[in-house]
Amino acid sequence: AQSVTQLDSQVPVFEEAPVELRCNYSSSVSVYLFWYVQYPNQGLQLLLKYLSGSTLVESINGFEAEFNKSQTSFHLRKPSVHISDTAEYFCAGEYNQGGKLIFGQGTELSVKP
Amino acid sequence: NAGVTQTPKFQVLKTGQSMTLQCAQDMNHEYMSWYRQDPGMGLRLIHYSVGAGITDQGEVPNGYNVSRSTTEDFPLRLLSAAPSQTSVYFCASSPGAGRGYTFGSGTRLTVV
């Protein structure tokens, strides 16, 4: 069965420190990978996605994720976090050639001053 | 464009009651999905649709029904509400495979 696993439920970091949020996915012939962000009491927003090609993908606000097929991982990184990055982050995989989007359990990123 | 619109935003039901959560999108997206979000469990897929007239079960379909008679609408029906269905429900839509989903603002449902 398709599955996505986020290895950390909570990640506390200090402002301006680097952070990595870990995600593993179940391998499939066809899978697209995403990271979404949810700010408190809001819906989900797409942060970045991997479809094919370059294994490193970037978002407009400094996050990046690296697709690693051999390790079936899609970890999210940021070299220097801000207080405003405090949110819950979800990794997701789209299977069955589209339509079936499966989420991980979520990681709460808490950035402290 | 309104995007993905969910109604109602809040609802309290008694055990055994039935109700329909509404979801509409005005972006002409083919794919639509329903999720429930519970603390520590992320978002779990209930049902999804890849086009009008086509629906399929997700990870947690029991107790829920869906239909997709038009491209715009994807209602979720709770047949006989149970306290275990207390959750926040999100509807989402996508133009196609790999293109990302747009989410609604959610419906907070409490079953007493």
Side-chain angles (χ1 to χ4, degrees):
Chain A
Q2 301 101 345
S3 66
V4 175
T5 303
Q6 292 182 244
L7 302 172
D8 308 291
S9 60
Q10 295 179 323
V11 174
V13 294
F14 289 105
E15 193 173 19
E16 298 183 5
V19 71
E20 177 179 80
L21 308 183
R22 298 180 294 167
C23 172
N24 287 107
Y25 65 96
S26 62
S27 183
S28 175
V29 172
S30 170
V31 60
Y32 304 118
L33 298 168
F34 303 85
W35 276 97
Y36 284 83
V37 58
Q38 185 180 34
Y39 298 102
N41 298 313
Q42 295 187 26
L44 276 77
Q45 302 172 28
L46 180 64
L47 191 59
L48 49 76
K49 62 183 179 182
Y50 173 78
L51 304 181
S52 62
S54 173
T55 58
L56 189 66
V57 291
E58 299 178 356
S59 71
I60 58 174
N61 56 355
F63 282 94
E64 62 182 27
E66 185 167 14
F67 171 70
N68 188 318
K69 186 174 182 179
S70 63
Q71 298 187 7
T72 61
S73 67
F74 191 55
H75 301 333
L76 182 70
R77 301 185 182 98
K78 189 170 186 180
S80 176
V81 294
H82 303 289
I83 297 288
S84 60
D85 292 324
T86 294
E88 189 155 21
Y89 292 79
F90 293 94
C91 182
E94 187 173 15
Y95 293 88
N96 290 5
Q97 298 180 326
K100 189 175 185 181
L101 185 68
I102 303 296
F103 281 85
Q105 299 86 341
T107 298
E108 286 186 32
L109 175 63
S110 175
V111 182
K112 305 176 186 305
Chain B
N1 288 347
V4 179
T5 302
Q6 293 184 235
T7 56
K9 293 192 182 302
F10 302 93
Q11 183 70 48
V12 179
L13 285 180
K14 293 183 179 179
T15 297
Q17 285 185 317
S18 62
M19 82 159 295
T20 299
L21 306 186
Q22 301 292 344
C23 177
Q25 52 92 8
D26 61 359
M27 299 172 285
N28 201 32
H29 285 177
E30 286 298 316
Y31 295 176
M32 295 186 76
S33 300
W34 274 103
Y35 293 87
R36 59 177 290 172
Q37 182 176 23
D38 302 290
M41 305 189 76
L43 282 85
R44 291 181 291 171
L45 181 63
I46 304 172
H47 287 284
Y48 66 102
S49 168
V50 296
I54 305 169
T55 63
D56 206 347
Q57 295 182 350
E59 301 168 280
V60 289
N62 292 341
Y64 307 95
N65 273 358
V66 292
S67 60
R68 184 99 182 268
S69 56
T70 68
T71 298
E72 295 77 19
D73 300 298
F74 192 43
L76 178 72
R77 284 181 285 276
L78 280 70
L79 309 174
S80 177
S84 61
Q85 293 178 306
T86 293
S87 187
V88 180
Y89 291 84
F90 286 100
C91 179
S93 73
S94 171
R99 296 178 68 181
Y101 277 74
T102 300
F103 281 79
S105 57
T107 294
R108 186 173 295 273
L109 176 69
T110 302
V111 182
V112 297

